[in-house]
Amino acid sequence: MSILFRYILREYAKIFLMCFAGLMTIYLVIDFFEKVRRFIRYDAGLVPILAYFALKTPAISFQIAPLAVLMATLLTLGLLSRSNEITAMRSCGISLPWITSPFIVFASAVTLVLLSFSAVVIPLASEEAEHIRLVDIEKRPTPTTVAAPRPWARIGADTLLQISEIEVGGAALRGVRLYHFADTFRLDRMTEAAQARYTGTGWILLNGNQRRFQPDGTVAMVPFSQQPADLSLIPDDFTSWLAGDTETMTFQDIRGYLSRFTQEGMSMARLLTDYYGRIAFPFVAVIMVLVGIALSLQRSGVRGGSMAIGIGQALVVGFCYWTTHSIAIALGRGGALTPLLAGWTADIVFASFGLYLLLKVRY
């Protein structure tokens, strides 16, 4: 690694850290004043509040790091151009791709960190932060059951499951209904139970009845106090994806769910879209470097513009990326786009935009 490479990398890293620290401070201050009044009403101590915001830091860093990368790229190239350092390097025969290579290397390292955050750190930290908010700050008793945000689930090819409440841990369900359909999608039987409990051998339905719908229109009802249920789901399924909380799932958890639920024929559009979106987002750090280099050099050949222009461009590009990414994810969850395309749409669009601008730069 040459002295010049280390110099550019060091200058870029310093400006990135300043941009990142500034954005992080702004975000935390706004978030703090938005929530602190509510926390004070609960007479929360300082330590739980600080712990809560500390655990939210990985998720905040994940969101603002690409914008800090873009802003640092624009500002660094602007400062190097203002001091005529780029002109001096170009006069010595150093190419622009080599001059900008430290930016790509740094952004690649940021991408790897963001991937680790998305895969493991953020889900675990978010889950612990929510626990601190509910139990330590708002002084709520540890819940024993929660309402099911996603009360319906498909079990196999011909059964629908409906639940009303989930016990913490997922080992017990309340308000359980199983709808069994015949080959012609005619309701064949319906099983209702006050509770379902998971044992070492499977699920057991407690205190319910089963209704069989005959072809002649009659209904036969058989009550029961205990009956085994053929459910392929496990308790963890009801505490994460089926509970509507994919943000607390690690990549390993998601892959495990996909491998089991796909075999059951369940619709996985929402889970797959979130999964691909979480994989694709970290790579925007490299894309933002390409966009930043192109925008900085596009203004006047190899000369950069003012700092105000650079910050303004970074905010506009960041807003456009977030808008595109959010719309694509919403379309993927709704089934309008395939999950893979929905997750990578924003990256593809802005990578194409950055490459287009780079091709128009006059070296």
Side-chain angles (χ1 to χ4, degrees), residues 256-296:
Y257 280 61
L258 291 173
S259 63
R260 291 192 300 108
F261 288 165
T262 301
Q263 296 174 359
E264 295 293 328
M266 298 177 67
S267 176
M268 308 302 296
R270 182 183 180 89
L271 184 60
L272 277 170
T273 300
D274 292 345
Y275 177 63
Y276 288 127
R278 284 170 56 179
I279 292 177
F281 184 82
F283 290 92
V284 75
V286 177
I287 295 172
M288 287 302 170
V289 165
L290 296 177
V291 174
I293 293 170
L295 288 175
S296 180

Side-chain angles (χ1 to χ4, degrees), residues 191-206:
T191 305
E192 298 177 289
Q195 193 176 80
R197 287 200 166 274
Y198 186 77
T199 63
T201 57
W203 290 93
I204 300 295
L205 300 176
L206 303 174

Side-chain angles (χ1 to χ4, degrees), residues 81-351:
S81 296
R82 180 178 296 179
S83 59
N84 295 318
E85 291 177 86
I86 290 183
T87 303
M89 287 184 281
R90 294 286 289 140
S91 65
C92 294
I94 301 175
S95 65
L96 283 175
W98 192 96
I99 294 173
T100 56
S101 61
F103 299 77
I104 303 296
V105 171
F106 188 89
S108 300
V110 172
T111 294
L112 294 177
V113 174
L114 294 182
L115 273 174
S116 66
F117 273 34
S118 181
V120 179
V121 177
I122 293 176
L124 299 179
S126 298
E127 185 175 12
E128 184 62 25
E130 188 65 13
H131 175 78
I132 290 176
R133 183 182 69 83
L134 293 174
V135 178
D136 297 335
I137 296 177
E138 298 184 3
K139 305 295 192 301
R140 297 185 188 181
T142 303
T144 56
T145 61
V146 294
R150 302 187 64 177
W152 291 90
R154 181 178 176 181
I155 309 298
D158 57 2
T159 303
L160 292 177
L161 169 67
Q162 182 186 18
I163 54 178
S164 58
E165 292 183 341
I166 305 170
E167 185 178 280
V168 173
L173 312 174
R174 296 182 183 177
V176 179
R177 289 184 178 182
L178 287 167
Y179 299 87
H180 306 272
F181 295 89
D183 294 337
T184 58
F185 205 69
R186 178 183 62 83
L187 185 60
D188 180 64
R189 65 187 188 278
M190 181 177 70
T191 305
E192 298 177 289
Q195 193 176 80
R197 287 200 166 274
Y198 186 77
T199 63
T201 57
W203 290 93
I204 300 295
L205 300 176
L206 303 174
N207 302 324
N209 60 76
Q210 185 176 86
R211 301 179 186 181
R212 290 188 173 272
F213 300 90
Q214 306 298 335
D216 59 3
T218 60
V219 180
M221 186 172 70
V222 179
F224 60 85
S225 59
Q226 182 173 307
Q227 176 179 299
D230 185 18
L231 299 179
S232 59
L233 303 175
I234 61 176
D236 285 346
D237 297 337
F238 296 98
T239 59
S240 51
W241 178 63
L242 290 177
D245 193 9
T246 58
E247 292 183 359
T248 60
M249 297 175 64
T250 64
F251 282 179
Q252 184 177 359
D253 293 336
I254 293 176
R255 286 192 292 267
Y257 280 61
L258 291 173
S259 63
R260 291 192 300 108
F261 288 165
T262 301
Q263 296 174 359
E264 295 293 328
M266 298 177 67
S267 176
M268 308 302 296
R270 182 183 180 89
L271 184 60
L272 277 170
T273 300
D274 292 345
Y275 177 63
Y276 288 127
R278 284 170 56 179
I279 292 177
F281 184 82
F283 290 92
V284 75
V286 177
I287 295 172
M288 287 302 170
V289 165
L290 296 177
V291 174
I293 293 170
L295 288 175
S296 180
L297 301 180
Q298 186 72 26
R299 288 199 291 265
S300 56
V302 297
R303 293 184 179 275
S306 67
M307 295 180 64
I309 294 177
I311 294 174
Q313 287 181 326
L315 294 177
V316 170
V317 172
F319 174 79
C320 292
Y321 176 86
W322 268 110
T323 302
T324 305
H325 183 70
S326 299
I327 293 174
I329 293 297
L331 292 175
R333 290 174 175 176
L337 292 176
T338 61
L340 180 61
L341 180 60
W344 287 92
T345 291
D347 285 26
I348 294 172
V349 169
F350 278 80

Side-chain angles (χ1 to χ4, degrees), residues 8-24 60-77 79 102-103 106-111 113-114 284-286 288-289:
I8 297 174
L9 184 64
R10 183 175 65 251
E11 294 301 310
Y12 180 66
K14 288 193 297 185
I15 295 178
F16 169 80
L17 291 176
M18 287 189 292
C19 294
F20 181 82
L23 292 172
M24 177 68 75
I60 299 172
S61 302
F62 184 78
Q63 296 174 16
I64 67 174
L67 181 59
V69 166
L70 174 60
M71 195 175 293
T73 302
L74 292 167
L75 295 179
T76 303
L77 285 174
L79 292 174
F103 299 77
F106 188 89
S108 300
V110 172
T111 294
V113 174
L114 294 182
V284 75
V286 177
M288 287 302 170
V289 165

Side-chain angles (χ1 to χ4, degrees), residues 19-69:
C19 294
F20 181 82
L23 292 172
M24 177 68 75
T25 301
I26 294 172
Y27 196 116
L28 285 175
V29 168
I30 294 174
D31 197 32
F32 176 80
F33 282 105
E34 179 184 350
K35 296 177 180 177
V36 70
R37 287 178 293 181
R38 185 176 63 186
F39 290 166
I40 291 175
R41 289 203 305 267
Y42 295 104
D43 195 24
L46 181 61
V47 173
I49 293 177
L50 293 178
Y52 171 80
F53 282 104
L55 289 168
K56 297 293 287 185
T57 300
I60 299 172
S61 302
F62 184 78
Q63 296 174 16
I64 67 174
L67 181 59
V69 166

